[in-house]
Amino acid sequence: MREVIIGYQGEMSLKGLNRNQFESALMKILRYRLKDAGRFQVWCAQSTFYIEPEDDAADLDLAFARVSKVFGLAAVSRCAVCDKDFDAICAAAESYLGQALRQVKTFKVEARRADKSFPMTSPQLMRELGAFLLSRHPYLRVDVHQPDFKVIVEVRDRGAYVHGPKTPGEGGLPVGTSGRALNMLSGGIDSPVAAYRMAKRGLALDHIHFASPPYTSERARRKVIALAQRTTVYTGSCNLFIVPYTRPQECIRDNAPPMLFTVLMRRSMMRIAGQIAQRQGCEALVTGESLAQVASQTVQALRCTDAAQDLPVLRPLIGMDKTEIIETARRIGTFETSILPYEDCCTIFTPPHPKLRPTLEEVLEAEAAMPDLAALEAEAAASAQRLRIRIDDQTELDD
Ligand code: ATP
Ligand code: MG
């Protein structure tokens, strides 16, 4: 029996970009994400995406796992394909879904006839296929309102597709159709969730991480690489820039009022991120900040951070509670890695009482007293290490 994956298009509208552009972007993403899963033919017809293995070596389980995490698809189904012939449809439904029907008490058939040359109408097909399945599974009852199981038949151009209930997709927009941004990835819980949320709105992402060896460890660095890797199932393969941040951070520690240390460091990180973003053609920065979560995330502190560089700073978690963020982190598979207890450069040198409402004036004044900082930042940006994080590359933390 031939088996294929069907993806149903979700929201795909944006003034200026047309449906064709979205569809070809999505097809390109699908092909790219399936590269290591075998040979697949990917095509789109009538707003539906078809992913068909070209030979037996293709890994349909991996392909389905990948496709169900591609933004832009509202739902996905794994189906049996057969000829557009009633007997063939009955045979396919029984052999593909018979096992599932033996596990339930009630069912219903849904049929959709996109190919109007098929001789039976949709209601006819539903009735007749339902009767056939009841004859094979006499213990079943039909429940059209709340069935335990749905048998779905779609008669389309290239064949009849038979499957069980659709699996919800991730929704959102194909990655890249909204441009490219640089995500500030800390190793905490929030920033991988921020990456997920912005990729969902169609942004292609690279990540930037600030490391301050020897204050931060090799394990902390590996944790961030692992986090970037976990998010690739949503973002696709990406770059991770690791910035050696020790010297700018020491400069701030040694020369600025401790109360302003955090906000000054945040601004400094933003400037470096801004430089790397410009170099990479990223049009925005993304952070995992959430209003009032910590001292650097008050409205006044965010104003100071925003003023450090010109790109828009996107903060998709700004209105989310920690419990909501954790829920998402668990669902997308980053939580367990995020809670590994390695230090982040944001948590070293932090003063006991950071200023909750810093003003831009006092922050600029403190920076004016650190004339060497800009050069140290430029040097850090120039010596950032670029790592390619690939979707098919599993980084395991071994301790
Ligand atoms: P996370 O938000 O990821 O859990 P956190 O809660 O410790 O980390 P903060 O330290 O306040 O949050 O940092 C807020 C945001 O700043 C992070 O979400 C992240 O986007 C960015 N950030 C913090 N530290 C770093 C770092 N070392 N490298 C890159 N970005 C960072
Ligand atoms: Mg946070």
Side-chain angles (χ1 to χ4, degrees):
M1 184 182 358
R2 273 166 65 213
E3 218 181 348
V4 307
I5 298 167
I6 292 188
Y8 306 87
Q9 192 163 304
E11 175 191 355
M12 275 238 191
S13 60
L14 188 70
K15 293 155 203 80
L17 274 185
N18 61 37
R19 178 173 289 267
N20 279 345
Q21 281 171 296
F22 274 111
E23 290 180 349
S24 46
L26 192 41
M27 278 195 287
K28 212 169 135 191
I29 291 167
L30 288 169
R31 291 193 185 107
Y32 205 79
R33 300 272 175 100
L34 296 176
K35 262 189 178 165
D36 62 322
R39 288 157 52 85
F40 288 88
Q41 212 192 338
V42 176
W43 78 94
C44 174
Q46 293 170 319
S47 308
T48 306
F49 296 84
Y50 297 81
I51 297 115
E52 179 155 12
E54 287 187 10
D55 53 41
D56 288 345
D59 183 344
L60 213 64
D61 291 338
L62 178 60
F64 189 74
R66 289 272 173 81
V67 170
S68 59
K69 292 186 167 52
V70 168
F71 293 125
L73 295 177
V76 282
S77 297
R78 199 169 156 159
C79 340
V81 198
C82 63
D83 289 344
K84 292 186 267 185
D85 165 81
F86 180 66
D87 291 336
I89 291 172
C90 290
E94 178 55 26
S95 74
Y96 197 56
L97 302 173
Q99 184 59 28
L101 287 170
R102 278 187 277 279
Q103 320 289 320
V104 299
K105 294 199 173 74
T106 62
F107 82 116
K108 91 185 247 197
V109 176
E110 277 181 9
R112 188 166 161 255
R113 183 181 62 142
D115 172 7
K116 301 295 177 206
S117 69
F118 185 71
M120 295 167 89
T121 63
S122 301
Q124 251 179 335
L125 181 53
M126 274 185 241
R127 264 197 321 271
E128 306 272 327
L129 178 58
F132 168 81
L133 290 171
L134 276 174
S135 74
R136 292 300 171 97
H137 304 272
Y139 51 88
L140 281 178
R141 266 190 313 109
V142 174
D143 180 343
V144 291
H145 301 296
Q146 281 197 311
D148 296 336
F149 190 81
K150 262 191 218 171
V151 171
I152 303 175
V153 188
E154 305 184 48
V155 182
R156 293 172 171 270
D157 280 351
R158 296 203 200 175
Y161 298 81
V162 178
H163 57 93
K166 295 177 184 176
T167 304
E170 281 290 334
L173 301 168
V175 160
T177 55
S178 301
R180 171 170 292 275
L182 186 62
N183 178 52
M184 299 178 65
L185 189 64
S186 69
I189 296 168
D190 303 339
S191 42
V193 175
Y196 164 81
R197 299 275 298 223
M198 292 324 302
K200 180 166 180 162
R201 294 309 300 164
L203 275 177
L205 293 177
D206 286 326
H207 302 285
I208 183 171
H209 175 70
F210 294 86
S212 293
Y215 308 106
T216 60
S217 65
E218 175 58 25
R219 287 192 308 181
R221 181 188 140 94
R222 289 218 309 278
K223 171 184 174 180
V224 170
I225 295 173
L227 279 176
Q229 207 287 324
R230 301 266 183 283
T231 60
T232 55
V233 289
Y234 298 100
T235 63
S237 300
C238 62
N239 296 309
L240 166 63
F241 294 89
I242 301 193
V243 178
Y245 191 58
T246 314
R247 293 187 68 200
Q249 197 172 10
E250 285 174 338
C251 172
I252 301 170
R253 177 195 63 185
D254 296 341
N255 296 289
M259 275 172 76
L260 294 180
F261 172 81
T262 306
V263 67
L264 290 167
M265 181 183 66
R266 310 278 318 151
R267 281 171 54 86
S268 161
M269 286 179 165
M270 289 284 172
R271 282 189 291 266
I272 295 173
Q275 288 171 27
I276 291 180
Q278 308 271 9
R279 219 169 68 196
Q280 284 301 111
C282 295
E283 298 159 301
L285 301 180
V286 176
T287 81
E289 288 162 311
S290 163
L291 191 65
Q293 191 186 76
V294 288
S296 64
Q297 296 170 24
T298 63
V299 170
Q300 295 80 2
L302 293 177
R303 178 189 175 215
C304 295
T305 321
D306 273 342
Q309 56 80 54
D310 290 337
L311 293 175
V313 180
L314 306 177
R315 299 182 170 98
L317 313 188
I318 198 72
M320 284 173 82
D321 288 350
K322 196 74 186 188
T323 48
E324 297 171 286
I325 298 170
I326 288 174
E327 214 174 282
T328 309
R330 284 190 195 282
R331 190 171 65 73
I332 66 172
T334 54
F335 183 73
E336 297 300 330
T337 306
S338 287
I339 58 172
L340 293 172
Y342 308 142
E343 68 297 324
D344 179 58
C345 78
C346 264
T347 54
I348 58 174
F349 310 156
T350 49
H353 303 293
K355 193 153 190 182
L356 291 179
R357 295 186 182 78
T359 66
L360 193 51
E361 292 66 32
E362 63 186 337
V363 161
L364 291 173
E365 197 180 313
E367 282 174 359
M370 296 186 285
D372 299 337
L373 183 59
L376 293 174
E377 288 171 359
E379 193 188 313
S383 37
Q385 183 192 12
R386 184 178 75 95
L387 301 179
R388 186 72 189 153
I389 309 291
R390 294 160 48 98
I391 190 170
D392 56 350
D393 192 14
Q394 290 295 324
T395 309
E396 290 301 333
L397 290 178
D398 45 24
D399 50 349

